[in-house]
């Protein structure tokens, strides 16, 4: 069976996935009808795919010095349940979107509504920053404090993707979480190449101006099929001046 190489190119990173054609998902997982994945494998696969989609959106649509904001609730303002929290967020977004449009800007966002085991509600949201964004957010959110942090590009948002997609299955401090994104963040399509044999592209080739992020290198054999796989990320070298 042939092998497939998927290349996702972003402004500051290149992601590579290499695997046998027809095999997808997290390392060690296989989509097949004859063997049903265990619950643990399903959790790992679903979270891996969730983080991947978030990472790709972050890398394509957001930049250094955009905002990672935390919207908090005063104790007396806490929502009764997740549906109420989502309604609060929708009302907040309508106000923010209106202000962005007044300034001729398009709003883009990724968010996770979280409630801890001690009933502490908050919203983590990544959004593109424009002039007065801090004022817009503060005036639009009436339930508590708004804490803003500037995004940085270390690792090209890999850790941020894991952070913004947390759930009770990945963080025991959470009781419930709800992840969502704005509709204007379509996922990027990869460049696809197929090869008859693994050896034709066994060596990692690093283009000028990039380096291999060693923490992202994952390779091995699928335990179900014996097919080889490899995934890694190349990051752009930052040049001073």
């Amino acid at each position: 069976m042939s092998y497939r190489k998927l290349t996702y190119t972003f402004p500051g990173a290149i992601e590579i996935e290499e695997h046998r054609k027809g095999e997808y998902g997290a390392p060690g997982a296989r989509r097949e009808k004859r063997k049903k994945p265990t619950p643990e494998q399903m959790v790992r696969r679903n979270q891996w795919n969730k983080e991947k989609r978030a990472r790709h959106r972050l890398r394509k649509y957001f930049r250094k010095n955009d905002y990672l904001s935390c919207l908090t609730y005063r104790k007396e303002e806490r929502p009764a349940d997740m549906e109420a929290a989502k309604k609060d967020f929708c009302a907040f977004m309508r106000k923010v979107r209106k202000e962005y449009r007044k300034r001729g800007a398009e709003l883009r966002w990724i968010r996770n509504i979280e409630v801890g085991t001690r009933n502490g509600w908050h919203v983590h949201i990544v959004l593109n920053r424009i002039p007065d964004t801090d004022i817009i957010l503060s005036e639009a959110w009436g339930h508590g404090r708004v804490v803003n942090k500037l995004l940085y590009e270390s690792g090209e948002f890999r850790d941020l993707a894991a952070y913004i997609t947390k759930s009770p299955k990945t963080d025991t401090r959470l009781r419930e979480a709800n992840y969502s994104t704005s509709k204007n963040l379509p996922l990027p399509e990869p460049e696809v190449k197929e090869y008859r044999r693994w050896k034709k592209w066994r060596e990692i080739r690093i283009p000028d101006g990039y380096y291999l992020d060693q923490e992202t290198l994952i390779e091995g054999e699928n335990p179900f099929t014996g097919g080889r796989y490899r995934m890694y990320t190349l990051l752009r070298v930052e040049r001073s001046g």
Side-chain angles (χ1 to χ4, degrees):
M1 184 178 289
S2 62
Y3 282 83
R4 177 169 288 182
K5 180 177 182 180
L6 308 180
T7 302
Y8 297 87
T9 303
F10 304 97
I14 301 173
E15 287 193 31
I16 309 293
E17 296 179 18
E18 303 167 334
H19 50 70
R20 181 178 289 180
K21 185 177 178 181
E23 295 178 2
Y24 300 92
R30 181 191 182 194
R31 289 184 179 177
E32 63 172 1
K33 295 181 179 179
R34 290 176 296 174
K35 280 191 176 182
K36 186 176 181 180
T38 66
E40 292 77 13
Q41 288 173 325
M42 286 299 298
V43 168
R44 183 175 66 169
R45 177 194 298 177
N46 291 339
Q47 182 63 26
W48 187 86
N49 286 326
K50 189 177 181 181
E51 288 184 22
K52 173 185 171 181
R53 291 191 293 268
R55 186 175 65 249
H56 285 188
R57 287 186 166 108
L58 287 166
R59 286 177 169 170
K60 182 172 182 179
Y61 298 106
F62 298 93
R63 298 291 179 269
K64 179 179 180 181
N65 292 333
D66 279 338
Y67 267 164
L68 169 62
S69 301
C70 182
L71 316 177
T72 67
Y73 278 92
R74 290 183 289 270
K75 190 173 182 179
E76 64 274 15
E77 294 274 350
R78 289 173 178 172
D81 51 31
M82 184 58 74
E83 288 305 310
K86 288 194 287 186
K87 288 180 180 179
D88 289 342
F89 180 80
C90 289
F92 166 74
M93 276 290 99
R94 284 194 294 269
K95 297 176 183 178
V96 175
R97 189 178 297 109
K98 181 179 179 180
E99 294 301 321
Y100 269 58
R101 286 174 177 169
K102 284 182 180 179
R103 293 160 174 78
E106 182 182 20
L107 175 64
R108 299 184 297 273
W109 55 266
I110 298 175
R111 67 100 171 116
N112 204 30
I113 302 175
E114 302 174 5
V115 55
T117 54
R118 297 183 179 181
N119 202 39
W121 289 84
H122 57 276
V123 182
H124 291 299
I125 179 171
V126 176
L127 71 166
N128 56 309
R129 184 172 66 96
I130 63 173
D132 296 332
T133 293
D134 56 338
I135 297 174
I136 294 171
L137 300 183
S138 181
E139 292 181 350
W141 183 254
H143 305 285
R145 297 177 59 216
V146 178
V147 181
N148 302 312
K149 294 182 179 180
L150 297 176
L151 297 187
Y152 59 94
E153 292 180 327
S154 177
E156 272 294 303
F157 306 140
R158 178 165 51 88
D159 292 339
L160 179 57
Y163 182 74
I164 202 70
T165 58
K166 296 195 305 294
S167 74
K169 293 180 180 179
T170 62
D171 191 332
T172 57
R173 296 172 298 178
L174 297 181
R175 189 180 78 213
E176 190 176 359
N178 182 271
Y179 170 80
S180 185
T181 76
S182 56
K183 295 180 180 179
N184 55 349
L185 305 179
L187 286 168
E189 294 294 331
E191 175 190 0
V192 181
K193 292 185 178 180
E194 294 187 4
Y195 301 85
R196 292 186 61 186
R197 297 180 181 179
W198 175 272
K199 67 179 183 180
K200 282 183 175 292
W201 41 286
R202 182 161 37 195
E203 298 298 325
I204 295 177
R205 296 182 180 181
I206 303 176
D208 292 340
Y210 288 84
Y211 67 95
L212 174 64
D213 183 356
Q214 291 287 347
E215 292 185 7
T216 66
L217 179 59
I218 302 173
E219 54 186 341
E221 291 187 357
N222 188 304
F224 297 110
T225 67
R228 297 190 62 178
Y229 63 82
R230 180 170 61 191
M231 306 173 190
Y232 58 92
T233 299
L234 305 176
L235 298 180
R236 188 184 297 276
V237 177
E238 294 185 8
R239 302 182 186 276
S240 59

